[in-house]
Amino acid sequence: MIEEKLRHLGISLPIPPKPAGSYIPVVVSGSLVFVSGQIPMEGGQLKYQGKVQNNQSVENAQSAARLCIINALSQLNAHLGTLEHIEKIVRVSGFVNAEENFTEHPKVINAASELLVDVFGQKGKHSRIAVGVSSLPLNATVEIDMIVEISK
């Protein structure tokens, strides 16, 4: 059971962060669920700000990526009522606020990917992009969105 796996990993899903703009956090289309970009919010505050290699270490950016996934799971749980409906993590898109010469974007987003596999097992293996960007909303260190498949 997913809730048991989360507890075993020491993860408690927070109240989902509210959208920071004119969008909704989750859209269902058929059996696919699209989760809007999540930044590393914790307790209503942005926990990780700034560029990797300048203001943030790779390790902090990895923690930010994990927090983004936790927030995405929180959004899914609130919308679906349970994470048990998830059949497959289909796609993860990871954006890293990074200095121009930074090249370890996959290493940062691996933390998010690994957490999904830890929680969902084989269902957590997904396609992915990991890219560097010159800025993110609120100067967040990482932003992640995802697509999941659900059972009907």
Side-chain angles (χ1 to χ4, degrees):
M1 209 168 149
I2 301 305
E3 287 181 21
E4 289 175 18
K5 287 184 184 178
L6 288 169
R7 270 194 302 277
H8 177 72
L9 294 168
I11 297 170
S12 175
L13 294 180
I15 295 170
K18 296 210 181 306
S22 298
Y23 63 91
I24 56 176
V26 177
V27 172
V28 179
S29 180
S31 63
L32 293 179
V33 181
F34 299 80
V35 181
S36 295
Q38 300 295 305
I39 58 176
M41 299 293 289
E42 185 174 78
Q45 302 292 317
L46 184 60
K47 186 167 182 181
Y48 298 94
Q49 287 183 284
K51 293 186 178 296
V52 180
Q53 244 182 338
N54 185 14
N55 310 100
Q56 293 291 348
S57 66
V58 169
E59 293 76 20
N60 281 349
Q62 289 170 325
S63 295
R66 285 177 53 90
L67 185 51
C68 291
I69 286 298
I70 291 167
N71 287 334
L73 294 177
S74 178
Q75 296 286 4
L76 284 165
N77 191 55
H79 190 84
L80 301 173
T82 179
L83 296 177
E84 297 301 327
H85 295 306
I86 295 175
E87 289 294 321
K88 180 80 179 147
I89 307 297
V90 176
R91 170 84 175 218
V92 170
S93 301
F95 304 90
V96 181
N97 186 358
E99 291 297 323
E100 186 177 319
N101 62 349
F102 183 73
T103 60
E104 296 185 32
H105 313 96
K107 187 175 181 180
V108 170
I109 305 303
N110 278 349
S113 294
E114 290 163 4
L115 177 57
L116 289 169
V117 172
D118 288 346
V119 172
F120 293 98
Q122 288 297 316
K123 293 179 179 183
K125 292 189 175 186
H126 51 272
S127 69
R128 186 183 88 182
I129 63 169
V131 297
V133 296
S134 63
S135 67
L136 285 171
L138 305 176
N139 197 29
T141 302
V142 176
E143 182 173 2
I144 294 179
D145 72 5
M146 57 193 292
I147 303 169
V148 303
E149 180 183 4
I150 57 171
S151 58
K152 291 268 180 166

